[in-house]
Each structure stands twice: as C-alpha cells, then as structure tokens.
Amino acid sequence: MKDCILRLLKEEKGRYVSGEEISGRLGISRTAVWKYINALKEEGYEIESRSRAGYMLLGAPDLLLPFEVKEGLGTRFLGKEVHHFSEVRSTNDEAKSLAGKGAGEGTVVVAERQIGGKGRLGRSWASPAGGIWVSIILRPAFQPLEAPKLTLATALAVTRVLREETHLDARIKWPNDVFINSKKVCGILTEMNAELDRIHYVILGIGLNVNIDIMDFPEEVRGTATSLMEELGKPISRLQLLRSILREEEKVYDLFLKDGFAPIREEVRNLSYTLGKWVTVNYGKGMVSGKALDISESGALLLRTDKGRMITVTSGDVGEE
Ligand code: BTN
C-alpha cells in the first residue's frame, strides 16, 4: 500500500493530492493514508502536507527500495522479486537462505549497509552506506564447472554499465574485480550450492563502491580501493546504476546460455585490466609470477613465466609486479 501511495504521488509530482482522493483511489481510510505517508517520511521521502490541499512529493531518498528498483526495470526475470534491508550481515547469506527455501531464479537481495560483508578467500568486505551491496540468485542448468565463467560474465556486466554511465575507463581484473584508474571499485563473490553434476543455485554477490568517501573505507584498503564518487568528483544515482546492472546481468546471462562463453570471453579480453601485465598469483598453495597472456576458453588465466613456461591459473589472487 505504501508503494501504491508513493506511485500515486510520483504520478502527480508537482501538485497536491488530497487525502480524500488517495483514500478513494486506493480504497483505504484517510487515517491509513496518513499513517502510510508518515512511514514514507520516516524512510526519507520529502512529502509536504498542507491542510485542505493534501500531500505533495518533493523529493525521494536515494534508497534501493524494491518498488523503486523494479520501476521501469524492463527485465524478463531478473529483479522481479527484490528483498531490501537497511542493514544486514551479508546479502549473500540472505540470498542463500532464500534460495534454500525455494526462491526463484532472478531473486535479488539488496542492502543499504552490511555489517558482515564477505569478500573472497574468507576476507571481510567493508560495506558502509552509499554502496551497492547486492546478491542475485540464479539456477542455471549447466555443470558446476561452468560457474566461474559466470563471475567473469558478471564482471563484464558491471564494467559495461560503468563505462556507459560514467564514461570512466572501467576494466576487468581477473577473476572477479572491476578496476578504475588501477584501483578496485567492485568485487564479486560467487557462491554455489551444487551436486557434482548439478547446480542447485548460484549466488552472485556484487559489491560496488558508489557514493563512498575514501575515508569511510578501512585504512588498509584506502590505497587500493576507490569509489565512483571519488573518481567522478560527485555522487551518482545508485538506483539508476542498480537497475542498469540488473538489466545488463540478465543480458550477459542470456547470452551465456544461448551462445556459450566465447562472446563473453572476447569482450572480457578486450576490457581486461590484467592481460599484458606482469603479475604474481597467489593460488593458495604458492605463488607464480609471469606475464598475463590470455584468458582461456574455460575462464582461466594463462601466464608465461620469465623462463618461458606456460601456466594456467584457475583461481587465486592476482597482484601486480
Ligand atoms: C571480493 O572482492 O572479495 C568480493 C566482494 C564481494 C562483496 C559483495 S557485497 C554483496 C555481497 N554480499 C557479501 O557479503 N559479499 C558480496
């Protein structure tokens, strides 16, 4: 009902809508209208109430509320169901729990803040207000081995959106980051629940630093992380960005299901931050160094060591030499 009132006020933006009209159009009492208006004000909507005139919407907060996210989204399945939290431990954990209860493909979980945000390799992920912390549930019919390619496809979706909407030189750092001006602006954590040959669900967790002051990051990442606001010198609408990311994610996912990894690989190579650089990869059991030459058909990173040996790395942490 709150969403209906908001939609109505938005349709009539710039004019007062009387409590009587709202109550008549939505079939609720005027006291109920008043209560919902107050709830909207609590959420940060700027609504002017004038006796005898009614209510007028003056401004909306930059919150990622389901109603706002879904408005004009135009996707086929992604984002049809959106769960929003002001504060949550981790959207990936929430998404996992929803998926375990049968939530459908394309379900989205988004939070304004995470207090236990998770990064790859057991690290924590700083998630103050101002970022986009979102998880997407997918249920692909392909083999679990294909899942890492989905991380690259998602990095591509985010990179495409950032390039299009900010005109910044966003690039994909293998295997799961998006970099701008040699700093990390986005990380992706893919988690999966599967049998050996069948995926139950995949959770794609995207963390994008949008309107965050660098001083709000933990000290240890201040030198290596950035936000869109830092790079652009001004804040940018998170809502618009999130909608674009969901649209683009659906596009790359559909492309992947239809044509396989080849077209995605091609674009990932062209937009790569990693290829051509001398890198050191920490793959858990040790380190290898070499020149990053290519991304293979399976999504692995191909390196050539200084001795000319070719090495295929399927996962790990990449540092620059
Ligand atoms: C990384 O670079 O290590 C991956 C970071 C992924 C962070 C996102 S934020 C939304 C989702 N929820 C989490 O707890 N983590 C992912």
Side-chain angles (χ1 to χ4, degrees), residues 80-96:
K80 291 285 173 216
E81 192 180 327
V82 178
H83 297 255
H84 173 264
F85 295 86
S86 301
E87 186 174 282
V88 77
R89 277 196 64 71
S90 153
T91 54
N92 264 31
D93 289 353
E94 289 297 329
K96 257 192 261 173

Side-chain angles (χ1 to χ4, degrees), residues 89-93 114 116-120 123 125 127 132-135 176-177 184 186-189 205-208:
R89 277 196 64 71
S90 153
T91 54
N92 264 31
D93 289 353
Q114 297 184 119
K118 301 187 300 183
R120 278 171 71 236
R123 299 193 184 114
W125 178 261
S127 322
I132 293 181
W133 323 123
V134 62
S135 301
N176 74 319
D177 297 339
K184 179 161 167 168
C186 172
I188 296 161
L189 175 65
I206 304 170
L208 178 61

